[in-house]
Amino acid sequence: MTNALGIDKPACATRVVVAMSGGVDSSATAALLKEQGFDVVGVTLQLYDVASMGHGGACRPNTCCAGKDIHDARAVADALGIPHYVLDYEAAFRRDVMERFADSYAAGETPIPCVLCNQTVKFRDLLGTAKDLGADALATGHYVRRGMGAGGPELLKGADPARDQSYFLFATTREQLDFLRFPLGGMMSKDETRAIAARHNLPVAAKRDSQDICFVPDGDYASLVERLRPDAVRPGEIVDRAGKVLGRHRGLVHYTIGQRKGLGLGGGPPLYVVALEPDTGRVVVGPKDALGCSRVTVRDVNWLGGAERELRVEVRVRSTRPPAPAVLRRLDGDRAEVVLDQPEDGVATGQACVFYQGERVLGGGWIAPARSP
């Protein structure tokens, strides 16, 4: 008989490594698995040093903060009576997440560092460490579900649409899904998660959710990019689609596709950022109707679906957007083309395009520069 995690052995003989960030989600995950009788081991990753990044060691409310979060994770592990390890992944995190984040901005893109972190440090490096510790599974506090289909494990949306995090996990591979578990994916509200933490008297039961990029706890990501890639914040021209100069900007890092505020162009009809040109250093603006995009090219596709080459899907082009109906055409290599039924505004290079059929995540990739209205 399989246990609650779908593993064919008793829970007490099943070792589960839990990625403990110090927040309530991962803490409740560890508590729930401990409650179910699993052999739980907590692991927290030291990813960055706030003080060394120019923040003076101070963190704002509702942000991640490395030192405090590690302390909180350790306190939770102590309360649960489980082993807890802190692993130094700073070098890998800087190389695979922070440097690529800065490079993406320098290229006029709008990056998503959380996806890079899941793709590399967590589901590549930490997963390997979990296996080295003799684990049968790696569990996280993400709000997604893992189901079993005819072809093996499948990635599904979280049960609570308001907390679904599947957009950020599109790069999870089939091999990783074999080993990963998401105990909170079926929760219908955050209240259920906090109730688990409160039931176990965990010190983080009322801790607020973080809302900013974890390695930018003061919210000033432009300053971080400037330190890592000074050329990304050089001033330049703001032009209309015909190339007429309308003003000056402070650096491409301060702008994203679809932005209206902060252009400093004075009166006249509303203008929006419709393109960023890293080669010329120009910000291109236009009317709102210039933002519509119905055809999207996607690169570095991670495919979790079947053998179909063309199929009807729903896609998200930003984490905050609801899925939109489209046709997906898989191209040679790891590329795909998405044709939306209705144009989407603000499709930005560097964001993810994630493919769905109902509750199932079919995969996704990165939006490539080729864009056409």
Side-chain angles (χ1 to χ4, degrees):
M1 178 178 293
T2 60
N3 59 41
L5 293 181
I7 298 172
D8 192 17
K9 55 174 25 176
C12 62
T14 304
R15 173 165 290 183
V16 184
V17 166
V18 178
M20 298 181 66
S21 67
V24 66
D25 295 329
S26 60
S27 298
T29 297
L32 182 62
L33 293 172
K34 175 73 173 179
E35 184 178 82
Q36 292 171 341
F38 289 97
D39 174 15
V40 179
V41 177
V43 172
T44 301
L45 304 183
Q46 169 68 45
L47 300 178
Y48 56 91
D49 181 351
V50 173
S52 71
M53 288 160 36
H55 303 302
C59 298
R60 298 184 305 157
N62 290 28
T63 66
C64 294
C65 190
K68 184 179 186 305
D69 289 339
I70 290 173
H71 175 272
D72 288 345
R74 183 177 290 115
V76 168
D78 288 345
L80 294 173
I82 62 173
H84 178 250
Y85 302 97
V86 178
L87 305 180
D88 183 357
Y89 278 26
E90 284 194 39
F93 187 75
R94 182 181 179 95
R95 179 188 67 241
D96 293 330
V97 181
M98 293 174 61
E99 297 279 355
R100 288 173 64 181
F101 173 81
D103 287 340
S104 186
Y105 265 118
E109 299 178 347
T110 305
I112 317 174
C114 293
V115 174
L116 293 176
C117 185
N118 291 328
Q119 185 178 22
T120 58
V121 175
K122 289 182 181 175
F123 293 169
R124 182 195 65 196
D125 300 339
L126 178 57
L127 190 146
T129 297
K131 291 182 177 180
D132 291 341
L133 290 172
D136 298 287
L138 170 65
T140 77
H142 288 104
Y143 288 89
V144 295
R145 290 174 293 151
R146 176 187 179 276
M148 291 300 296
E154 298 176 347
L155 186 63
L156 308 175
K157 295 177 183 176
D160 178 6
R163 304 202 67 82
D164 169 45
Q165 293 175 303
S166 59
Y167 180 85
F168 299 100
L169 297 180
F170 78 84
T172 306
T173 66
R174 294 180 188 274
E175 181 182 9
Q176 290 166 346
L177 276 177
D178 279 335
F179 197 69
L180 287 165
R181 299 295 188 274
F182 310 103
L184 302 186
M187 300 291 176
M188 289 304 299
S189 74
K190 187 61 175 268
D191 290 341
E192 291 184 56
T193 303
R194 293 195 182 278
I196 295 170
R199 186 166 70 240
H200 289 269
N201 297 312
L202 301 186
V204 299
K207 187 174 181 178
R208 291 183 290 185
D209 292 342
S210 61
Q211 297 177 348
D212 287 322
I213 298 170
C214 72
F215 55 91
V216 194
D218 63 356
D220 188 6
Y221 64 86
S223 294
L224 173 68
V225 174
E226 183 174 11
R227 285 193 293 275
L228 295 175
R229 298 290 185 271
D231 287 348
V233 291
R234 69 180 189 275
E237 296 174 338
I238 300 176
V239 301
D240 64 16
R241 290 183 293 168
K244 179 182 177 182
V245 177
L246 304 179
R248 300 280 297 174
H249 66 76
R250 299 176 293 141
L252 297 182
V253 68
H254 295 285
Y255 304 88
T256 187
I257 303 299
Q259 180 175 334
R260 176 184 175 186
K261 295 182 179 180
L263 297 177
L265 297 179
L271 293 173
Y272 300 78
V273 176
V274 299
L276 300 173
E277 298 181 348
D279 292 339
T280 64
R282 299 192 307 181
V283 172
V284 183
V285 298
K288 185 175 178 59
D289 60 14
L291 289 171
C293 179
S294 59
R295 190 177 299 268
V296 182
T297 302
V298 187
R299 60 174 174 82
D300 299 331
V301 170
N302 177 56
W303 183 246
L304 297 172
E308 307 96 330
R309 303 299 297 181
E310 181 172 325
L311 63 164
R312 292 287 303 178
V313 296
E314 303 86 44
V315 301
R316 275 186 178 145
V317 294
R318 293 229 181 190
S319 64
T320 54
R321 301 280 179 86
V327 172
L328 170 68
R329 298 188 181 98
R330 296 172 60 200
L331 307 176
D332 291 340
D334 58 359
R335 296 174 68 83
E337 180 183 63
V338 169
V339 181
L340 291 146
D341 289 7
Q342 298 294 328
E344 286 271 325
D345 289 347
V347 177
T349 302
Q351 290 282 293
C353 181
V354 181
F355 322 135
Y356 298 87
Q357 274 191 335
E359 296 297 298
R360 186 181 177 189
V361 182
L362 296 180
W366 301 101
I367 296 173
R371 300 171 61 249
S372 60

